[in-house]
């Protein structure tokens, strides 16, 4: 619940929204970039954007009065019940509201500026499509300045993925995956990588740990969290290896370890988050046993 001032402000904003003109804006399926110059002609104008992907970005240049972003992805799979947004580092001078079940809730005030890497998540499993409102603060003296505000968004259907990004302050438990979870992880994870741990650093402010991984093979990745590098840049015959970073929670107490691991997990906003990570020899034992019993969930290359 908000304080009296917050409630009054939200109610006023909602009443204004009902009386303002909604201008639809052209967008591709996932992303939108536009300006608020239309508000200079009519300050009642609210730009409306409809996006049909499960992830993308919104970039608002010269922000005007207000922007309404409706997320209505074309989904053939299970419904996505959580929306997460990550404001751009330059985001300032606007309030962010979310609409769910026909009501507006304040997510970020115009006086606040999100911390770097901060992600906001909310449930969106009501009967209506989730919508995000940006209300721009007036410029001093009415002058226009080149500001750019916006955010990246993701729609999630997996509660554990949402928990990793801070939804409701929950976190996924730190425990080894059992055999069934591991066999599913190699089939469904955003990334599957075989490699070793070079270093582990800890961030007490974000309550996360960052695992520096040197990979000998990347079986799959979605957003390029792992990049190739030459072991010897001066030799054209040098074998390429992979390098990347994986995030996990500080409470999991991840430490460097010798040997090869099979790292799996999910990717959000360009960051890799750790899922199952057995030693590679242990994974081989589990997979070969399941393969012999015809119980493996998918085929996995062992060579």
């Amino acid at each position: 619940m908000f304080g009296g001032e917050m409630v009054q402000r939200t109610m006023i904003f909602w009443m204004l929204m009902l009386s303002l003109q909604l201008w639809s804006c052209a967008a591709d399926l996932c992303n939108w970039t536009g300006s608020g110059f239309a508000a200079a002609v009519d300050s009642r104008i609210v730009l409306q954007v409809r996006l049909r992907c499960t992830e993308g970005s919104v970039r608002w240049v010269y922000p005007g009065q207000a922007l309404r972003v409706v997320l209505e992805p074309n989904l053939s799979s299970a419904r996505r019940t959580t929306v997460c947004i990550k404001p751009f580092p330059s985001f300032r001078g606007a309030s962010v509201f979310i609409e769910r079940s026909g009501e507006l809730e304040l997510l970020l005030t115009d006086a606040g500026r999100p911390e770097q890497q901060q992600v906001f998540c909310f449930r969106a499993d009501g009967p209506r499509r989730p919508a995000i409102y940006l209300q721009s603060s007036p410029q001093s003296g009415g002058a226009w300045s080149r500001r750019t505000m916006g955010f990246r968004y993701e729609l999630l259907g997996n509660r554990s993925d949402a928990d990793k990004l801070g939804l409701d302050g929950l976190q996924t438990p730190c425990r080894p995956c059992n055999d069934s979870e591991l066999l599913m992880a190699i089939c469904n994870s955003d990334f599957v990588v075989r490699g070793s741990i070079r270093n582990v650093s800890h961030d007490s402010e974000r309550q996360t740990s960052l695992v520096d991984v040197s990979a000998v093979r990347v079986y799959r990745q979605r957003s390029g969290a792992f990049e190739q590098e030459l072991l010897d840049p001066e030799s054209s015959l040098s074998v390429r290896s992979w390098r990347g970073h994986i995030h996990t929670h500080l409470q999991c107490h991840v430490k460097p370890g010798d040997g090869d691991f099979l790292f799996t997990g999910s990717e959000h906003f360009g960051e890799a988050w750790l899922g199952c990570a057995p030693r590679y020899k242990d994974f081989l034992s589990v997979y070969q046993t399941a393969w012999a019993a015809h119980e493996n969930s998918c085929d996995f290359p062992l060579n």
Side-chain angles (χ1 to χ4, degrees):
M1 299 295 292
F2 305 124
E5 183 179 349
M6 287 289 188
V7 173
Q8 183 180 17
R9 181 177 182 179
T10 303
M11 292 179 63
I12 293 174
F13 181 77
W14 178 242
M15 294 173 63
L16 287 173
M17 289 295 297
L18 293 177
S19 64
L20 296 177
Q21 300 178 24
L22 292 176
W23 277 26
S24 295
C25 301
D28 65 21
L29 293 178
C30 304
N31 309 297
W32 177 82
T33 298
S35 74
F37 279 129
V41 179
D42 189 339
S43 61
R44 298 175 302 165
I45 289 175
V46 175
L47 302 179
Q48 179 162 261
V49 177
R50 295 183 180 274
L51 299 174
R52 299 186 180 276
C53 290
T54 56
E55 61 181 271
S57 64
V58 172
R59 187 179 301 272
W60 198 16
V61 185
Y62 297 104
Q65 177 70 17
L67 175 69
R68 181 174 187 257
V69 181
V70 181
L71 303 176
E72 44 185 13
N74 297 318
L75 295 176
S76 57
S77 57
R79 292 182 60 191
R80 306 299 177 102
T81 59
T82 300
V83 177
C84 292
I85 66 172
K86 182 177 181 179
F88 292 163
S90 61
F91 193 100
R92 63 183 183 277
S95 296
V96 181
F97 297 81
I98 59 174
E99 178 194 350
R100 51 182 173 182
S101 301
E103 297 182 357
L104 283 180
E105 298 179 16
L106 184 63
L107 192 66
L108 180 65
T109 68
D110 58 355
R113 183 172 181 175
E115 299 176 3
Q116 190 175 8
Q117 307 296 331
Q118 189 171 7
V119 174
F120 300 90
C121 298
F122 61 92
R123 306 295 294 178
D125 48 5
R128 302 186 183 184
R129 298 291 190 182
I132 302 170
Y133 295 93
L134 275 68
Q135 182 185 24
S136 178
S137 303
Q139 294 293 288
S140 59
W144 285 77
S145 63
R146 182 176 176 81
R147 291 188 298 160
T148 299
M149 62 179 60
F151 55 86
R152 296 173 64 182
Y153 68 90
E154 287 191 17
L155 280 73
L156 308 176
N158 187 323
R159 178 59 187 249
S160 64
D161 285 344
D163 292 344
K164 290 176 184 178
L165 295 175
L167 176 64
D168 295 336
L170 300 178
Q171 294 182 337
T172 52
C174 300
R175 61 171 178 80
C177 295
N178 59 38
D179 293 353
S180 298
E181 291 170 333
L182 174 56
L183 293 173
M184 289 301 298
I186 62 173
C187 303
N188 300 331
S189 294
D190 291 337
F191 67 89
V192 181
V193 173
R194 178 185 174 186
S196 58
I197 300 176
R198 297 172 57 124
N199 187 37
V200 179
S201 58
H202 305 288
D203 186 336
S204 58
E205 185 174 347
R206 291 188 66 191
Q207 287 295 295
T208 59
S209 297
L210 191 64
V211 184
D212 185 359
V213 172
S214 177
V216 295
R217 184 164 182 182
V218 174
Y219 299 95
R220 180 170 66 252
Q221 65 172 330
R222 182 165 62 88
S223 61
F226 294 86
E227 298 179 346
Q228 278 191 309
E229 61 179 8
L230 285 174
L231 294 180
D232 183 3
E234 298 181 358
S235 172
S236 60
L237 299 178
S238 179
V239 177
R240 289 180 178 270
S241 66
W242 296 80
R243 181 83 177 270
H245 296 86
I246 303 176
H247 296 259
T248 189
H249 293 294
L250 186 63
Q251 69 179 27
C252 295
H253 305 293
V254 175
K255 298 179 181 179
D258 296 330
D260 279 357
F261 294 82
L262 189 70
F263 300 99
T264 70
S266 56
E267 297 181 22
H268 303 289
F269 302 106
E271 295 180 344
W273 284 85
L274 187 64
C276 300
R279 290 189 178 275
Y280 187 72
K281 61 181 181 63
D282 296 333
F283 158 72
L284 283 180
S285 176
V286 171
Y287 180 81
Q288 290 171 343
T289 300
W291 184 84
H294 304 286
E295 295 177 349
N296 50 316
S297 303
C298 62
D299 292 330
F300 189 83
L302 299 181
N303 55 345

